[in-house]
Amino acid sequence: MSLKIRLASIEDVPAIRALLADDELGQRREDLSENGLKHYETAFAAIAADARNRLYVALEGGRVVGTYQVTYIPYLSRGGNERAHIEAVRVASDRRGEGIGRAMMLHALDEAKARGCLMAQLTSDKSRKEAHRFYEDLGFTATHWGFKKTL
Amino acid sequence: MSLKIRLASIEDVPAIRALLADDELGQRREDLSENGLKHYETAFAAIAADARNRLYVALEGGRVVGTYQVTYIPYLSRGGNERAHIEAVRVASDRRGEGIGRAMMLHALDEAKARGCLMAQLTSDKSRKEAHRFYEDLGFTATHWGFKKTL
């Protein structure tokens, strides 16, 4: 089936929330209650209104089977340029291993190049070993440690 | 001497550029020519105009001795919130080990908390081993790999 990647709309938010919860790490931290949906919709509006943030969905037929977000971060370093910072990459658990993630990342890299970014970057939880091979196959190199601190 | 941390202004750009170039990794990639300055100034204007990006300098007397940048990234995940994404942390080579970096990171964490962020994150080149201990001492954990790809 052919895959379509487009900017997410407010109607996609329930499907994106379900994707974010659809893995081992995500299910512990997402709020899937009816009441919780409005927080996701408010967050979506903030992302959609920001010219340096883009949230995408991948569709097969009418079904949302993947999502990712990119933030274009303007830097002083290296003479000034934006970097494409990719996060929240998810593929529906029943559709993994079929090239959806790869298609989304190639889409992200194409968009970043078209925008003039000199670098794309992302972090991946150390426990997601399959994801690491996936990113290396796409030409990413794990040159850094990713540090997090809960506030 | 007392340290002051404030938002950077356009007049600080030459000093920030010098700090970015003032380490082993940075000296290979920064353009220190007079002609190159205008690219840094253009990049500074883009950062200063973006409500989700803040570039700070740390001053001792009138001298810029440190810098860091924070990008507040809006997310759908975890019910919607911004994360504080910290980059470009630098301290003047003759002033390292005296708490300037620590003061800047505590400043960043305070600002992020005040803004309602639930998480702060950063990546650090695997070769910067002293920086890793520094971030761990501040309560950061290296839970992720940081992947980069040149475009």
Side-chain angles (χ1 to χ4, degrees), chain A residues 29-30 50 52 69 74-75 77-78 87 120-122 124 126 141-149, chain B residues 29-30 50 52 69 74-75 77-78 87 120-122 124 126 141-149:
Chain A
R29 60 193 181 201
E30 300 305 332
D50 188 319
R52 287 202 172 92
Q69 182 176 341
Y75 283 111
S77 188
R78 298 173 194 239
E87 293 241 10
Q121 63 184 29
L122 56 90
S124 183
K126 283 182 180 172
T141 312
T143 50
H144 285 58
W145 296 108
F147 289 86
K148 310 269 178 188
K149 179 181 165 70
Chain B
R29 59 193 182 203
E30 301 304 332
D50 188 319
R52 287 203 171 92
Q69 183 176 340
Y75 283 109
S77 188
R78 299 173 193 239
E87 294 241 10
Q121 62 183 30
L122 57 90
S124 182
K126 284 183 182 173
T141 313
T143 51
H144 285 57
W145 296 108
F147 289 86
K148 311 270 177 186
K149 180 180 163 73

mmCIF file of all heavy atoms in Angstrom, chain A residues 29-30 50 52 69 74-75 77-78 87 120-122 124 126 141-149, chain B residues 29-30 50 52 69 74-75 77-78 87 120-122 124 126 141-149:
data_model
loop_
_atom_site.group_PDB
_atom_site.id
_atom_site.type_symbol
_atom_site.label_atom_id
_atom_site.label_comp_id
_atom_site.label_asym_id
_atom_site.label_seq_id
_atom_site.Cartn_x
_atom_site.Cartn_y
_atom_site.Cartn_z
ATOM 1 N N ARG A 29 3.994 6.562 29.999
ATOM 2 C CA ARG A 29 3.989 8.004 30.245
ATOM 3 C C ARG A 29 2.905 8.794 29.515
ATOM 4 O O ARG A 29 2.797 9.996 29.723
ATOM 5 C CB ARG A 29 5.373 8.586 29.943
ATOM 6 C CG ARG A 29 5.839 8.390 28.541
ATOM 7 C CD ARG A 29 7.330 8.696 28.413
ATOM 8 N NE ARG A 29 7.748 8.512 27.031
ATOM 9 C CZ ARG A 29 8.987 8.302 26.638
ATOM 10 N NH1 ARG A 29 9.955 8.265 27.522
ATOM 11 N NH2 ARG A 29 9.281 8.150 25.371
ATOM 12 N N GLU A 30 2.132 8.148 28.670
ATOM 13 C CA GLU A 30 1.085 8.894 27.961
ATOM 14 C C GLU A 30 -0.258 8.788 28.684
ATOM 15 O O GLU A 30 -0.570 7.770 29.291
ATOM 16 C CB GLU A 30 0.958 8.390 26.518
ATOM 17 C CG GLU A 30 2.227 8.519 25.678
ATOM 18 C CD GLU A 30 2.812 9.931 25.619
ATOM 19 O OE1 GLU A 30 2.044 10.911 25.748
ATOM 20 O OE2 GLU A 30 4.037 10.062 25.470
ATOM 21 N N ASP A 50 4.096 27.324 15.412
ATOM 22 C CA ASP A 50 5.511 27.683 15.483
ATOM 23 C C ASP A 50 6.189 27.363 14.145
ATOM 24 O O ASP A 50 6.228 26.205 13.725
ATOM 25 C CB ASP A 50 6.169 26.898 16.633
ATOM 26 C CG ASP A 50 7.600 27.358 16.891
ATOM 27 O OD1 ASP A 50 8.336 27.613 15.920
ATOM 28 O OD2 ASP A 50 7.976 27.450 18.068
ATOM 29 N N ARG A 52 9.150 27.071 13.347
ATOM 30 C CA ARG A 52 10.321 26.197 13.425
ATOM 31 C C ARG A 52 9.995 24.801 13.951
ATOM 32 O O ARG A 52 10.899 24.026 14.253
ATOM 33 C CB ARG A 52 11.430 26.845 14.273
ATOM 34 C CG ARG A 52 12.111 27.998 13.558
ATOM 35 C CD ARG A 52 13.491 28.280 14.123
ATOM 36 N NE ARG A 52 14.194 29.248 13.298
ATOM 37 C CZ ARG A 52 14.176 30.562 13.492
ATOM 38 N NH1 ARG A 52 13.504 31.064 14.491
ATOM 39 N NH2 ARG A 52 14.847 31.358 12.678
ATOM 40 N N GLN A 69 8.334 14.430 14.654
ATOM 41 C CA GLN A 69 8.363 15.887 14.812
ATOM 42 C C GLN A 69 9.764 16.387 14.504
ATOM 43 O O GLN A 69 10.755 15.730 14.821
ATOM 44 C CB GLN A 69 7.979 16.271 16.247
ATOM 45 C CG GLN A 69 7.950 17.788 16.468
ATOM 46 C CD GLN A 69 7.471 18.181 17.863
ATOM 47 O OE1 GLN A 69 6.837 17.386 18.539
ATOM 48 N NE2 GLN A 69 7.767 19.388 18.287
ATOM 49 N N PRO A 74 17.859 27.387 15.297
ATOM 50 C CA PRO A 74 18.856 28.322 14.758
ATOM 51 C C PRO A 74 20.064 28.399 15.683
ATOM 52 O O PRO A 74 19.915 28.507 16.897
ATOM 53 C CB PRO A 74 18.099 29.656 14.743
ATOM 54 C CG PRO A 74 17.115 29.550 15.865
ATOM 55 C CD PRO A 74 16.767 28.083 16.002
ATOM 56 N N TYR A 75 21.264 28.321 15.100
ATOM 57 C CA TYR A 75 22.498 28.337 15.890
ATOM 58 C C TYR A 75 23.439 29.435 15.449
ATOM 59 O O TYR A 75 23.455 29.813 14.285
ATOM 60 C CB TYR A 75 23.266 27.018 15.713
ATOM 61 C CG TYR A 75 22.676 25.895 16.487
ATOM 62 C CD1 TYR A 75 22.061 24.842 15.831
ATOM 63 C CD2 TYR A 75 22.720 25.887 17.870
ATOM 64 C CE1 TYR A 75 21.497 23.802 16.525
ATOM 65 C CE2 TYR A 75 22.167 24.856 18.579
ATOM 66 C CZ TYR A 75 21.558 23.814 17.910
ATOM 67 O OH TYR A 75 21.010 22.799 18.611
ATOM 68 N N SER A 77 26.758 28.734 16.050
ATOM 69 C CA SER A 77 27.919 27.921 15.736
ATOM 70 C C SER A 77 28.001 27.589 14.240
ATOM 71 O O SER A 77 26.982 27.501 13.565
ATOM 72 C CB SER A 77 27.838 26.626 16.549
ATOM 73 O OG SER A 77 29.024 25.889 16.418
ATOM 74 N N ARG A 78 29.224 27.399 13.777
ATOM 75 C CA ARG A 78 29.505 27.074 12.375
ATOM 76 C C ARG A 78 29.031 28.168 11.408
ATOM 77 O O ARG A 78 28.569 27.883 10.301
ATOM 78 C CB ARG A 78 28.856 25.730 11.975
ATOM 79 C CG ARG A 78 29.416 24.563 12.784
ATOM 80 C CD ARG A 78 28.654 23.301 12.495
ATOM 81 N NE ARG A 78 28.982 22.296 13.495
ATOM 82 C CZ ARG A 78 29.506 21.115 13.233
ATOM 83 N NH1 ARG A 78 29.764 20.770 12.000
ATOM 84 N NH2 ARG A 78 29.766 20.261 14.187
ATOM 85 N N GLU A 87 12.477 14.412 16.742
ATOM 86 C CA GLU A 87 12.046 13.708 17.963
ATOM 87 C C GLU A 87 10.716 13.000 17.702
ATOM 88 O O GLU A 87 10.065 13.217 16.677
ATOM 89 C CB GLU A 87 11.876 14.689 19.129
ATOM 90 C CG GLU A 87 13.170 15.302 19.596
ATOM 91 C CD GLU A 87 13.542 14.992 21.060
ATOM 92 O OE1 GLU A 87 12.892 14.127 21.694
ATOM 93 O OE2 GLU A 87 14.488 15.624 21.538
ATOM 94 N N ALA A 120 21.425 17.134 10.678
ATOM 95 C CA ALA A 120 20.230 16.587 11.320
ATOM 96 C C ALA A 120 20.692 15.848 12.561
ATOM 97 O O ALA A 120 21.774 15.246 12.573
ATOM 98 C CB ALA A 120 19.501 15.641 10.376
ATOM 99 N N GLN A 121 19.884 15.895 13.619
ATOM 100 C CA GLN A 121 20.275 15.242 14.862
ATOM 101 C C GLN A 121 19.056 14.685 15.574
ATOM 102 O O GLN A 121 17.942 15.154 15.372
ATOM 103 C CB GLN A 121 21.015 16.219 15.778
ATOM 104 C CG GLN A 121 20.176 17.409 16.222
ATOM 105 C CD GLN A 121 20.976 18.417 17.059
ATOM 106 O OE1 GLN A 121 22.177 18.555 16.896
ATOM 107 N NE2 GLN A 121 20.300 19.114 17.949
ATOM 108 N N LEU A 122 19.287 13.668 16.380
ATOM 109 C CA LEU A 122 18.220 13.072 17.174
ATOM 110 C C LEU A 122 18.877 12.299 18.304
ATOM 111 O O LEU A 122 20.084 12.017 18.272
ATOM 112 C CB LEU A 122 17.345 12.141 16.319
ATOM 113 C CG LEU A 122 18.062 11.007 15.584
ATOM 114 C CD1 LEU A 122 18.130 9.749 16.432
ATOM 115 C CD2 LEU A 122 17.344 10.700 14.280
ATOM 116 N N SER A 124 18.228 8.766 20.882
ATOM 117 C CA SER A 124 17.446 7.530 20.975
ATOM 118 C C SER A 124 17.799 6.855 22.292
ATOM 119 O O SER A 124 18.980 6.734 22.638
ATOM 120 C CB SER A 124 17.791 6.637 19.780
ATOM 121 O OG SER A 124 17.009 5.465 19.798
ATOM 122 N N LYS A 126 18.891 4.470 25.073
ATOM 123 C CA LYS A 126 19.911 3.425 24.924
ATOM 124 C C LYS A 126 19.298 2.030 24.819
ATOM 125 O O LYS A 126 19.918 1.124 24.266
ATOM 126 C CB LYS A 126 20.879 3.470 26.109
ATOM 127 C CG LYS A 126 21.890 4.591 26.029
ATOM 128 C CD LYS A 126 22.840 4.516 27.223
ATOM 129 C CE LYS A 126 23.871 5.634 27.184
ATOM 130 N NZ LYS A 126 24.668 5.667 28.426
ATOM 131 N N THR A 141 25.426 8.914 12.845
ATOM 132 C CA THR A 141 26.494 8.368 13.679
ATOM 133 C C THR A 141 26.258 8.775 15.134
ATOM 134 O O THR A 141 25.939 9.940 15.412
ATOM 135 C CB THR A 141 27.863 8.914 13.225
ATOM 136 O OG1 THR A 141 27.960 8.788 11.804
ATOM 137 C CG2 THR A 141 28.994 8.121 13.864
ATOM 138 N N ALA A 142 26.421 7.807 16.041
ATOM 139 C CA ALA A 142 26.192 8.068 17.475
ATOM 140 C C ALA A 142 27.439 8.692 18.091
ATOM 141 O O ALA A 142 28.154 8.063 18.857
ATOM 142 C CB ALA A 142 25.809 6.785 18.192
ATOM 143 N N THR A 143 27.683 9.962 17.757
ATOM 144 C CA THR A 143 28.891 10.656 18.215
ATOM 145 C C THR A 143 28.739 11.219 19.621
ATOM 146 O O THR A 143 29.728 11.619 20.233
ATOM 147 C CB THR A 143 29.202 11.849 17.288
ATOM 148 O OG1 THR A 143 27.996 12.612 17.143
ATOM 149 C CG2 THR A 143 29.675 11.372 15.932
ATOM 150 N N HIS A 144 27.505 11.296 20.126
ATOM 151 C CA HIS A 144 27.238 12.010 21.374
ATOM 152 C C HIS A 144 26.538 11.124 22.411
ATOM 153 O O HIS A 144 25.936 10.105 22.065
ATOM 154 C CB HIS A 144 26.346 13.228 21.088
ATOM 155 C CG HIS A 144 27.075 14.372 20.444
ATOM 156 N ND1 HIS A 144 27.735 14.239 19.241
ATOM 157 C CD2 HIS A 144 27.256 15.659 20.830
ATOM 158 C CE1 HIS A 144 28.287 15.411 18.915
ATOM 159 N NE2 HIS A 144 28.008 16.279 19.855
ATOM 160 N N TRP A 145 26.622 11.552 23.662
ATOM 161 C CA TRP A 145 25.742 11.040 24.701
ATOM 162 C C TRP A 145 24.561 11.985 24.808
ATOM 163 O O TRP A 145 24.728 13.208 24.701
ATOM 164 C CB TRP A 145 26.439 11.009 26.065
ATOM 165 C CG TRP A 145 27.609 10.096 26.148
ATOM 166 C CD1 TRP A 145 28.922 10.459 26.213
ATOM 167 C CD2 TRP A 145 27.589 8.667 26.202
ATOM 168 N NE1 TRP A 145 29.713 9.339 26.292
ATOM 169 C CE2 TRP A 145 28.924 8.233 26.296
ATOM 170 C CE3 TRP A 145 26.571 7.716 26.177
ATOM 171 C CZ2 TRP A 145 29.269 6.887 26.356
ATOM 172 C CZ3 TRP A 145 26.909 6.385 26.239
ATOM 173 C CH2 TRP A 145 28.237 5.982 26.316
ATOM 174 N N GLY A 146 23.390 11.426 25.046
ATOM 175 C CA GLY A 146 22.210 12.259 25.264
ATOM 176 C C GLY A 146 21.851 12.270 26.743
ATOM 177 O O GLY A 146 21.507 11.230 27.303
ATOM 178 N N PHE A 147 21.965 13.437 27.382
ATOM 179 C CA PHE A 147 21.683 13.578 28.819
ATOM 180 C C PHE A 147 20.278 14.152 29.019
ATOM 181 O O PHE A 147 19.866 15.064 28.290
ATOM 182 C CB PHE A 147 22.692 14.539 29.465
ATOM 183 C CG PHE A 147 24.082 13.985 29.586
ATOM 184 C CD1 PHE A 147 24.989 14.101 28.536
ATOM 185 C CD2 PHE A 147 24.489 13.346 30.744
ATOM 186 C CE1 PHE A 147 26.275 13.593 28.639
ATOM 187 C CE2 PHE A 147 25.782 12.834 30.861
ATOM 188 C CZ PHE A 147 26.665 12.952 29.806
ATOM 189 N N LYS A 148 19.576 13.619 30.012
ATOM 190 C CA LYS A 148 18.240 14.133 30.356
ATOM 191 C C LYS A 148 18.190 14.382 31.855
ATOM 192 O O LYS A 148 18.849 13.677 32.639
ATOM 193 C CB LYS A 148 17.151 13.095 30.014
ATOM 194 C CG LYS A 148 17.234 12.511 28.613
ATOM 195 C CD LYS A 148 16.443 13.276 27.597
ATOM 196 C CE LYS A 148 16.623 12.661 26.215
ATOM 197 N NZ LYS A 148 16.027 13.465 25.155
ATOM 198 N N LYS A 149 17.388 15.343 32.242
ATOM 199 C CA LYS A 149 17.132 15.587 33.666
ATOM 200 C C LYS A 149 15.669 15.969 33.832
ATOM 201 O O LYS A 149 15.187 16.902 33.186
ATOM 202 C CB LYS A 149 18.028 16.715 34.186
ATOM 203 C CG LYS A 149 17.802 17.034 35.664
ATOM 204 C CD LYS A 149 18.703 18.189 36.099
ATOM 205 C CE LYS A 149 18.266 18.777 37.424
ATOM 206 N NZ LYS A 149 18.497 17.915 38.599
ATOM 207 N N ARG B 29 35.897 24.342 13.302
ATOM 208 C CA ARG B 29 34.685 24.603 12.521
ATOM 209 C C ARG B 29 34.167 26.038 12.558
ATOM 210 O O ARG B 29 33.192 26.340 11.881
ATOM 211 C CB ARG B 29 33.580 23.629 12.940
ATOM 212 C CG ARG B 29 33.207 23.708 14.386
ATOM 213 C CD ARG B 29 32.348 22.515 14.782
ATOM 214 N NE ARG B 29 31.966 22.637 16.174
ATOM 215 C CZ ARG B 29 31.607 21.616 16.961
ATOM 216 N NH1 ARG B 29 31.549 20.395 16.471
ATOM 217 N NH2 ARG B 29 31.273 21.808 18.195
ATOM 218 N N GLU B 30 34.776 26.912 13.335
ATOM 219 C CA GLU B 30 34.274 28.289 13.373
ATOM 220 C C GLU B 30 35.055 29.183 12.411
ATOM 221 O O GLU B 30 36.232 28.990 12.191
ATOM 222 C CB GLU B 30 34.336 28.848 14.803
ATOM 223 C CG GLU B 30 33.540 28.059 15.837
ATOM 224 C CD GLU B 30 32.065 27.887 15.499
ATOM 225 O OE1 GLU B 30 31.501 28.751 14.794
ATOM 226 O OE2 GLU B 30 31.465 26.877 15.931
ATOM 227 N N ASP B 50 13.236 34.750 18.053
ATOM 228 C CA ASP B 50 12.428 33.541 18.247
ATOM 229 C C ASP B 50 12.089 33.387 19.735
ATOM 230 O O ASP B 50 12.980 33.241 20.573
ATOM 231 C CB ASP B 50 13.213 32.323 17.739
ATOM 232 C CG ASP B 50 12.372 31.054 17.729
ATOM 233 O OD1 ASP B 50 11.608 30.830 18.699
ATOM 234 O OD2 ASP B 50 12.482 30.288 16.764
ATOM 235 N N ARG B 52 11.070 30.990 21.391
ATOM 236 C CA ARG B 52 11.454 29.711 22.000
ATOM 237 C C ARG B 52 12.964 29.466 21.979
ATOM 238 O O ARG B 52 13.412 28.358 22.269
ATOM 239 C CB ARG B 52 10.719 28.546 21.315
ATOM 240 C CG ARG B 52 9.246 28.488 21.672
ATOM 241 C CD ARG B 52 8.662 27.095 21.476
ATOM 242 N NE ARG B 52 7.324 27.023 22.009
ATOM 243 C CZ ARG B 52 6.207 27.258 21.317
ATOM 244 N NH1 ARG B 52 6.277 27.609 20.043
ATOM 245 N NH2 ARG B 52 5.025 27.152 21.892
ATOM 246 N N GLN B 69 22.985 28.273 24.938
ATOM 247 C CA GLN B 69 21.726 28.525 24.239
ATOM 248 C C GLN B 69 20.693 27.511 24.709
ATOM 249 O O GLN B 69 21.013 26.343 24.960
ATOM 250 C CB GLN B 69 21.923 28.389 22.722
ATOM 251 C CG GLN B 69 20.657 28.704 21.923
ATOM 252 C CD GLN B 69 20.867 28.663 20.418
ATOM 253 O OE1 GLN B 69 22.008 28.772 19.949
ATOM 254 N NE2 GLN B 69 19.797 28.515 19.658
ATOM 255 N N PRO B 74 8.237 22.538 22.011
ATOM 256 C CA PRO B 74 6.893 22.084 22.390
ATOM 257 C C PRO B 74 6.657 20.661 21.892
ATOM 258 O O PRO B 74 6.970 20.346 20.742
ATOM 259 C CB PRO B 74 5.971 23.072 21.659
ATOM 260 C CG PRO B 74 6.737 23.474 20.444
ATOM 261 C CD PRO B 74 8.210 23.413 20.817
ATOM 262 N N TYR B 75 6.134 19.796 22.785
ATOM 263 C CA TYR B 75 5.918 18.398 22.423
ATOM 264 C C TYR B 75 4.487 17.978 22.648
ATOM 265 O O TYR B 75 3.820 18.502 23.546
ATOM 266 C CB TYR B 75 6.781 17.472 23.295
ATOM 267 C CG TYR B 75 8.208 17.443 22.883
ATOM 268 C CD1 TYR B 75 9.184 18.024 23.664
ATOM 269 C CD2 TYR B 75 8.576 16.838 21.691
ATOM 270 C CE1 TYR B 75 10.504 18.012 23.285
ATOM 271 C CE2 TYR B 75 9.897 16.828 21.306
ATOM 272 C CZ TYR B 75 10.855 17.417 22.097
ATOM 273 O OH TYR B 75 12.151 17.400 21.713
ATOM 274 N N SER B 77 4.097 14.633 23.308
ATOM 275 C CA SER B 77 4.326 13.520 24.234
ATOM 276 C C SER B 77 4.181 13.959 25.698
ATOM 277 O O SER B 77 4.412 15.109 26.034
ATOM 278 C CB SER B 77 5.740 12.979 24.004
ATOM 279 O OG SER B 77 5.932 11.804 24.737
ATOM 280 N N ARG B 78 3.779 13.000 26.549
ATOM 281 C CA ARG B 78 3.593 13.234 27.977
ATOM 282 C C ARG B 78 2.531 14.292 28.272
ATOM 283 O O ARG B 78 2.644 15.076 29.218
ATOM 284 C CB ARG B 78 4.912 13.638 28.657
ATOM 285 C CG ARG B 78 5.959 12.568 28.538
ATOM 286 C CD ARG B 78 7.294 13.063 29.053
ATOM 287 N NE ARG B 78 8.352 12.155 28.662
ATOM 288 C CZ ARG B 78 9.151 11.528 29.509
ATOM 289 N NH1 ARG B 78 9.022 11.696 30.794
ATOM 290 N NH2 ARG B 78 10.074 10.707 29.066
ATOM 291 N N GLU B 87 22.117 23.768 24.263
ATOM 292 C CA GLU B 87 23.244 23.513 23.356
ATOM 293 C C GLU B 87 24.261 24.639 23.485
ATOM 294 O O GLU B 87 24.005 25.655 24.120
ATOM 295 C CB GLU B 87 22.772 23.435 21.892
ATOM 296 C CG GLU B 87 21.878 22.255 21.599
ATOM 297 C CD GLU B 87 22.436 21.279 20.547
ATOM 298 O OE1 GLU B 87 23.616 21.405 20.155
ATOM 299 O OE2 GLU B 87 21.667 20.404 20.136
ATOM 300 N N ALA B 120 14.801 18.782 31.045
ATOM 301 C CA ALA B 120 15.891 19.474 30.370
ATOM 302 C C ALA B 120 16.744 18.415 29.691
ATOM 303 O O ALA B 120 16.896 17.294 30.214
ATOM 304 C CB ALA B 120 16.731 20.275 31.360
ATOM 305 N N GLN B 121 17.276 18.720 28.523
ATOM 306 C CA GLN B 121 18.067 17.736 27.795
ATOM 307 C C GLN B 121 19.200 18.426 27.056
ATOM 308 O O GLN B 121 19.116 19.607 26.729
ATOM 309 C CB GLN B 121 17.191 16.953 26.807
ATOM 310 C CG GLN B 121 16.551 17.802 25.732
ATOM 311 C CD GLN B 121 15.628 16.998 24.821
ATOM 312 O OE1 GLN B 121 15.028 16.007 25.238
ATOM 313 N NE2 GLN B 121 15.499 17.426 23.572
ATOM 314 N N LEU B 122 20.252 17.667 26.800
ATOM 315 C CA LEU B 122 21.392 18.170 26.036
ATOM 316 C C LEU B 122 22.173 16.968 25.531
ATOM 317 O O LEU B 122 21.986 15.847 26.018
ATOM 318 C CB LEU B 122 22.291 19.059 26.910
ATOM 319 C CG LEU B 122 22.846 18.446 28.193
ATOM 320 C CD1 LEU B 122 24.181 17.763 27.956
ATOM 321 C CD2 LEU B 122 22.988 19.522 29.251
ATOM 322 N N SER B 124 26.282 15.715 24.461
ATOM 323 C CA SER B 124 27.676 16.089 24.645
ATOM 324 C C SER B 124 28.531 15.097 23.854
ATOM 325 O O SER B 124 28.316 13.888 23.929
ATOM 326 C CB SER B 124 28.013 16.038 26.140
ATOM 327 O OG SER B 124 29.341 16.442 26.351
ATOM 328 N N LYS B 126 31.038 12.497 22.670
ATOM 329 C CA LYS B 126 31.576 11.400 23.486
ATOM 330 C C LYS B 126 33.010 11.663 23.942
ATOM 331 O O LYS B 126 33.449 11.135 24.957
ATOM 332 C CB LYS B 126 31.535 10.082 22.700
ATOM 333 C CG LYS B 126 30.146 9.472 22.609
ATOM 334 C CD LYS B 126 30.207 8.144 21.871
ATOM 335 C CE LYS B 126 28.840 7.517 21.719
ATOM 336 N NZ LYS B 126 28.891 6.304 20.866
ATOM 337 N N THR B 141 21.314 12.455 33.468
ATOM 338 C CA THR B 141 21.666 11.054 33.259
ATOM 339 C C THR B 141 21.797 10.799 31.759
ATOM 340 O O THR B 141 20.959 11.244 30.969
ATOM 341 C CB THR B 141 20.565 10.131 33.833
ATOM 342 O OG1 THR B 141 20.223 10.596 35.138
ATOM 343 C CG2 THR B 141 21.051 8.696 33.920
ATOM 344 N N ALA B 142 22.842 10.060 31.385
ATOM 345 C CA ALA B 142 23.101 9.773 29.965
ATOM 346 C C ALA B 142 22.273 8.567 29.528
ATOM 347 O O ALA B 142 22.796 7.488 29.301
ATOM 348 C CB ALA B 142 24.588 9.542 29.735
ATOM 349 N N THR B 143 20.966 8.790 29.403
ATOM 350 C CA THR B 143 20.047 7.693 29.064
ATOM 351 C C THR B 143 19.995 7.411 27.567
ATOM 352 O O THR B 143 19.464 6.399 27.147
ATOM 353 C CB THR B 143 18.613 8.047 29.503
ATOM 354 O OG1 THR B 143 18.301 9.353 28.989
ATOM 355 C CG2 THR B 143 18.487 8.054 31.015
ATOM 356 N N HIS B 144 20.506 8.330 26.747
ATOM 357 C CA HIS B 144 20.311 8.253 25.300
ATOM 358 C C HIS B 144 21.648 8.264 24.547
ATOM 359 O O HIS B 144 22.674 8.689 25.067
ATOM 360 C CB HIS B 144 19.466 9.438 24.825
ATOM 361 C CG HIS B 144 18.002 9.307 25.157
ATOM 362 N ND1 HIS B 144 17.540 9.141 26.440
ATOM 363 C CD2 HIS B 144 16.903 9.299 24.360
ATOM 364 C CE1 HIS B 144 16.214 9.041 26.428
ATOM 365 N NE2 HIS B 144 15.802 9.136 25.179
ATOM 366 N N TRP B 145 21.580 7.789 23.299
ATOM 367 C CA TRP B 145 22.653 8.055 22.351
ATOM 368 C C TRP B 145 22.249 9.300 21.558
ATOM 369 O O TRP B 145 21.070 9.464 21.240
ATOM 370 C CB TRP B 145 22.813 6.901 21.355
ATOM 371 C CG TRP B 145 23.237 5.607 21.965
ATOM 372 C CD1 TRP B 145 22.460 4.508 22.136
ATOM 373 C CD2 TRP B 145 24.533 5.264 22.452
ATOM 374 N NE1 TRP B 145 23.191 3.498 22.706
ATOM 375 C CE2 TRP B 145 24.467 3.936 22.910
ATOM 376 C CE3 TRP B 145 25.743 5.948 22.542
ATOM 377 C CZ2 TRP B 145 25.566 3.284 23.459
ATOM 378 C CZ3 TRP B 145 26.842 5.305 23.082
ATOM 379 C CH2 TRP B 145 26.738 3.985 23.540
ATOM 380 N N GLY B 146 23.239 10.108 21.225
ATOM 381 C CA GLY B 146 22.979 11.271 20.377
ATOM 382 C C GLY B 146 23.519 11.015 18.978
ATOM 383 O O GLY B 146 24.720 10.859 18.800
ATOM 384 N N PHE B 147 22.611 10.938 18.003
ATOM 385 C CA PHE B 147 22.992 10.664 16.611
ATOM 386 C C PHE B 147 23.027 11.974 15.810
ATOM 387 O O PHE B 147 22.156 12.823 15.981
ATOM 388 C CB PHE B 147 21.966 9.740 15.955
ATOM 389 C CG PHE B 147 21.992 8.327 16.460
ATOM 390 C CD1 PHE B 147 21.270 7.947 17.582
ATOM 391 C CD2 PHE B 147 22.737 7.368 15.791
ATOM 392 C CE1 PHE B 147 21.292 6.635 18.041
ATOM 393 C CE2 PHE B 147 22.764 6.053 16.242
ATOM 394 C CZ PHE B 147 22.048 5.692 17.373
ATOM 395 N N LYS B 148 24.028 12.089 14.942
ATOM 396 C CA LYS B 148 24.143 13.256 14.070
ATOM 397 C C LYS B 148 24.357 12.782 12.639
ATOM 398 O O LYS B 148 24.963 11.721 12.414
ATOM 399 C CB LYS B 148 25.358 14.124 14.459
ATOM 400 C CG LYS B 148 25.465 14.467 15.938
ATOM 401 C CD LYS B 148 24.763 15.743 16.309
ATOM 402 C CE LYS B 148 24.849 15.978 17.808
ATOM 403 N NZ LYS B 148 24.078 17.115 18.261
ATOM 404 N N LYS B 149 23.895 13.579 11.711
ATOM 405 C CA LYS B 149 24.167 13.310 10.297
ATOM 406 C C LYS B 149 24.394 14.643 9.585
ATOM 407 O O LYS B 149 23.543 15.530 9.642
ATOM 408 C CB LYS B 149 22.992 12.573 9.647
ATOM 409 C CG LYS B 149 23.206 12.259 8.173
ATOM 410 C CD LYS B 149 21.996 11.537 7.590
ATOM 411 C CE LYS B 149 21.985 11.572 6.074
ATOM 412 N NZ LYS B 149 22.994 10.693 5.469
#
